[in-house]
Amino acid sequence: MTPVATVLAREFPERRVAATARVPNGNHKQTAVATFADGGEVVVQTATDAAALALEAALSRAVRERTSIPVPRVLASGALDGFGYVVAERAPGDELHERFVSLDATAQRRVARSFGVGLGQLHERFSFDGYGRLGRPARGRQRADGGGAAEFESGPVRGFDAVSADDSDWGTWFSAHAREGIAALPPAFDGVREQLEEAVAAASLPPNPPARLYPWDFRPGNALVTDGRVTAVLDWGQPMAAAPGLAVAKVEHLVADWYVEDGAPLRRAFRAGYESVRPLPAVPRAYRVAAVVRSAVDSAGEVTRPGYPERTGSAAVDFHRARLDALL
């Protein structure tokens, strides 16, 4: 049996599967949509890193409970035969990545505002004790009705109110985070690499900023839309704790700059949405530099493809270079 078939047999032994269809997605997970003979549908994700997928499932549940962000309900998660899995409801809507450019200006601004509201709620309702990647839940199996606090490697904690992050101060952690992104840039960025290093080194950062959720992929490319409104945000993998201004810089870049030539109206809408929840944090230039750098290359080392239709090759490099040139 395939991993998907094994998961479905375990979690839904009483239901007959009529069809499964593979969905292309990121570098770390395999995704499929399963249709049952009775007409219901679920999304099944599997990955060899069971702990990372368990963390994503736990965070998805918490975001759904604590915010107004539309997150599909997780029906089951666990580990089986050397891989982790998550089963979630099939959310309605079209891929926002493909639809964003066809939305009218009003709908685009509404979408941008919703991302601002969502990030503001994430920052208001998830706080941490340090900076870095979130601790991982203990391995195990959990159904949607399981209840209880999440279990982490550091022991039971109150949901996501604590984190097993590294002990670095903010300046040290941010510098390492930004320089890791700079080092990952391919040779096409060599002409600007030294300036990027200097911008990070010269940064004047807020001392000891509060640690808030830094959702790695909170962007239109991981959302669904119906009638110009976001109906689901799908990917909560690789979350971190960081200064709120860094997350603002990254999400704003992915919302306001990724798809349109003039991002000013979307930027204003995004900020207005955030400020409807909480005050906008300080966003130094170095945060914006890091946001562009860390968005320019994916986890496989490939230059990302902004826009839709997607830019590729030199056009993609030119997009990222233009954003960096504007900041340097």
Side-chain angles (χ1 to χ4, degrees), residues 7 108 199:
V7 170
Q108 288 182 348

Side-chain angles (χ1 to χ4, degrees), residues 42-122:
V42 296
V43 175
V44 181
Q45 291 189 315
T46 59
T48 55
D49 190 339
L53 200 57
L55 170 60
E56 182 174 351
L59 183 56
S60 296
R61 288 183 173 106
V63 171
R64 179 182 170 89
E65 292 171 359
R66 299 186 186 190
T67 76
S68 65
I69 298 170
V71 179
R73 187 164 67 98
V74 174
L75 302 175
S77 63
L80 184 65
D81 296 337
F83 62 86
Y85 66 86
V86 174
V87 184
E89 291 178 326
R90 174 84 183 275
D94 301 322
E95 291 187 4
L96 182 56
H97 173 60
E98 298 179 5
R99 290 292 310 280
F100 192 90
V101 295
S102 66
L103 298 177
D104 62 39
T106 299
Q108 288 182 348
R109 290 194 299 272
R110 183 166 57 241
V111 167
R113 180 182 174 86
S114 73
F115 273 90
V117 170
L119 185 62
Q121 291 180 354
L122 293 173

